[in-house]
Amino acid sequence: MYEHQGIDNFLFVALYWAVAMMATLAGVYLLATRGNAFTREVKMPPRALRRWAAAFMATVVGSHVWWAVPVEAWAGKTIRDMACISLDLLTLVPLMMAWLLRLLQDRRRRVWPWLVAHVPMAVLAVVAVWQGDASGLMVMYQMVLIVVFVACYVQALRHYKRWLLMNFADLEHKEVWQSLVLMAAFVAVYAVYTTNGGSLLREYLSQWLSIGIIVFVVWRTETLQTLTTQGEIVEEEEDSNSNI
């Protein structure tokens, strides 16, 4: 609700909070359930992937809450807009990066460098909220960070695809291209939120895109088949024997 135009639109308000409730239920499902509502073949996807997905759902709910706070509570529209945009960029973006990295199972990729990379943006966000003269630099830094991440992720996907062909050539693995599709959708939502000048149509678009991302994240998390090579099985057996 960038300019709160949707407040007078009953259908938009209903959709807005329905998306927040949908994200809440998705997060509770990912954390609280041990079964799998999507497929019987995958009984339990990686626990870490579930946690990152649940954390992302929590930030989706949070985003809906802080954007709905009246302008007066933020001591002005400018401060409200900059604070909400900063919160979105500092929560939704890094958590989505972490989730995307956890999808790739060829090796355990580090998440913390991308989290640390958001620290300078947090400083710029504080300056932008209180002075309003660093907003352009903050958004520019975030865009550069996203471009760098996309480039690194595409390279990681190429390596992951080779790993799949070498070790699991007889299986279908659609998660490679689906990861890129999700990234494109998320960047689209990011663009809608950061360039939205108050258009109700764009606000509707951002909510429908959010629904698509929520559904995809939960579905991809729950249907991701855990892949283990023979070498990794041997290492796990050796670790278990040493513990005994």
Side-chain angles (χ1 to χ4, degrees):
M1 287 193 261
Y2 204 92
E3 298 219 4
H4 281 217
Q5 289 189 10
I7 290 180
D8 298 326
N9 189 304
F10 174 79
L11 291 177
F12 177 77
V13 172
L15 175 63
Y16 187 85
W17 290 113
V19 173
M21 179 57 66
M22 183 179 181
T24 301
L25 295 176
V28 171
Y29 166 78
L30 289 168
L31 288 177
T33 61
R34 295 188 176 183
N36 194 316
F38 293 87
T39 177
R40 295 182 179 180
E41 297 178 359
V42 182
K43 298 192 176 180
M44 177 57 73
R47 189 178 298 275
L49 185 64
R50 268 194 164 202
R51 290 173 179 172
W52 282 114
F56 176 76
M57 296 302 166
T59 61
V60 172
V61 177
S63 177
H64 280 73
V65 171
W66 56 63
W67 274 106
V69 175
V71 174
E72 293 77 10
W74 294 93
K77 177 184 178 301
T78 301
I79 293 179
R80 191 284 303 272
D81 291 349
M82 289 310 308
C84 290
I85 291 174
S86 300
L87 287 171
D88 281 350
L89 299 183
L90 289 171
T91 56
L92 293 169
V93 176
L95 286 174
M96 177 53 65
M97 289 178 174
W99 183 81
L100 285 168
L101 289 172
R102 284 292 176 261
L103 285 176
L104 308 181
Q105 302 182 63
D106 54 330
R107 61 186 178 88
R108 190 175 182 84
R109 290 178 169 79
R110 296 178 180 177
V111 173
W112 66 264
W114 299 104
L115 301 180
V116 172
H118 281 77
V119 173
M121 206 195 73
V123 176
L124 293 174
V126 172
V127 176
V129 169
W130 293 110
Q131 298 185 7
D133 57 356
S135 58
L137 185 60
M138 179 188 70
V139 174
M140 184 180 301
Y141 178 83
Q142 181 67 74
M143 288 303 299
V144 171
L145 191 59
I146 289 179
V147 170
V148 173
F149 177 79
V150 170
C152 293
Y153 196 73
V154 169
Q155 188 66 23
L157 282 175
R158 294 178 61 184
H159 184 276
Y160 184 57
K161 185 176 181 180
R162 290 195 297 267
W163 179 78
L164 291 175
L165 292 175
M166 290 176 59
N167 297 281
F168 306 95
D170 57 330
L171 300 177
E172 292 185 4
H173 299 282
K174 299 180 180 179
E175 60 267 24
V176 173
W177 67 267
Q178 286 169 349
S179 301
L180 290 176
V181 171
L182 174 64
M183 184 182 298
F186 182 72
V187 171
V189 172
Y190 165 82
V192 168
Y193 270 109
T194 56
T195 62
N196 187 353
S199 169
L200 185 59
L201 178 61
R202 289 189 177 185
E203 292 183 357
Y204 266 108
L205 177 61
S206 66
Q207 297 308 309
W208 286 112
L209 285 172
S210 297
I211 291 175
I213 288 179
I214 291 171
V215 172
F216 185 92
V217 168
V218 175
W219 174 79
R220 181 68 277 169
T221 298
E222 293 294 84
T223 58
L224 184 69
Q225 181 178 357
T226 301
L227 304 176
T228 305
T229 62
Q230 187 63 34
E232 291 172 335
I233 294 176
V234 171
E235 290 179 0
E236 290 178 358
E237 291 178 348
E238 292 176 350
D239 292 338
S240 61
N241 292 333
S242 61
N243 293 331
I244 294 174

